[in-house]
Amino acid sequence: MTSTREHMLDVASRLVHVRGFNNTSVDDILKESGVGKGNFYYYFKSKDELGFAILERSLKRFTSEVMEKSFDPSKNPWQQLNDFLDELVERARQRECSGGCILGNLAAEMSDIHEEFRRRLNKAFERLRTCIGEALAQARVQGTLQSDADVPRLALFIIAAFEGAFMMGKLQKDADVVAGVVEELKGHLARFRVAQ
């Protein structure tokens, strides 16, 4: 059985994913969840604390459902990167591009107006950049990535490309837009690949 806290997080995550953090009120969450205000403030001291909990839970789920599965060290680094990008496209298709990327949405909405959100989101994207960078660095060690490739810059480019893909897919309500951008991204990465 889902706890009251988890139920509130489920509801709040869904609302924030579609409406944004600032456009989702505590009253919206209470109404949608059927939970009383006293229970809300028992589990969360403030709306910001709820937002941080949404962010942390989203990161944990993304890590277990996407990153750990994709960046399995038993796979070669190019397969890791392809699996990661393919999983993102599949998630866009499953959701029909509704909501886009919750982390990207929060970064766009909150970074200029809430320093603690910006700091936490930046840390989350840095973890992702590090993970992608490790796969690229492994490819370099194996001799399949050009030796002059700027790994940190390329890892950041991959993140920027798929975040842009999610935004455009959300805008056009078309997962094929996401798939198309990801195919272009794969083509770009292929230019850095050294044939064996």
Side-chain angles (χ1 to χ4, degrees):
M1 183 173 166
T2 305
S3 71
T4 301
R5 183 181 189 277
E6 288 301 306
H7 176 60
M8 283 190 291
L9 275 171
D10 286 339
V11 170
S13 295
R14 184 171 38 80
L15 293 175
V16 167
H17 196 172
V18 175
R19 296 180 186 177
F21 185 75
N22 287 316
N23 286 329
T24 302
S25 68
V26 171
D27 287 341
D28 293 334
I29 296 162
L30 297 178
K31 181 179 177 184
E32 190 81 16
S33 67
V35 172
K37 194 170 272 194
N39 271 342
F40 178 89
Y41 287 107
Y42 174 78
Y43 290 106
F44 305 103
K45 291 186 177 80
S46 65
K47 184 182 170 190
D48 283 355
E49 189 175 295
L50 169 69
F52 300 147
I54 290 169
L55 175 58
E56 191 59 37
R57 192 171 78 156
S58 296
L59 286 170
K60 282 182 182 174
R61 286 184 173 174
F62 186 76
T63 298
S64 64
E65 294 171 9
V66 178
M67 291 175 64
E68 288 175 359
K69 189 166 102 177
S70 301
F71 294 104
D72 180 339
S74 69
K75 297 188 266 188
N76 80 61
W78 294 102
Q79 189 62 53
Q80 292 176 31
L81 292 166
N82 278 330
D83 287 355
F84 173 68
L85 295 171
D86 289 345
E87 181 63 28
L88 296 176
V89 171
E90 181 57 30
R91 289 167 79 86
R93 289 195 189 286
Q94 288 172 357
R95 296 181 177 137
E96 298 177 344
C97 290
S98 177
C101 171
I102 190 167
L103 301 178
N105 293 349
L106 285 169
E109 178 186 5
M110 303 299 289
S111 292
D112 285 338
I113 60 175
H114 198 296
E115 179 58 23
E116 184 59 19
F117 263 104
R118 187 205 65 76
R119 189 188 66 74
R120 289 176 187 228
L121 285 157
N122 187 53
K123 185 176 178 183
F125 278 107
E126 278 301 312
R127 279 190 293 197
L128 179 55
R129 182 178 172 181
T130 297
C131 195
I132 294 169
E134 286 171 355
L136 292 167
Q138 183 185 2
R140 179 182 288 165
V141 167
Q142 293 176 354
T144 59
L145 179 72
Q146 291 177 6
S147 60
D148 62 345
D150 184 333
V151 168
R153 185 172 169 172
L154 195 52
L156 185 59
F157 177 78
I158 291 169
I159 294 170
F162 76 69
E163 283 298 334
F166 272 117
M167 183 190 70
M168 294 308 297
K170 178 180 171 180
L171 182 66
Q172 296 183 27
K173 295 293 181 200
D174 187 354
D176 286 340
V177 171
V178 178
V181 172
V182 167
E183 282 307 308
E184 289 294 325
L185 174 57
K186 286 180 179 180
H188 179 77
L189 290 174
R191 294 189 312 194
F192 292 90
R193 190 166 182 173
V194 177
Q196 291 284 292

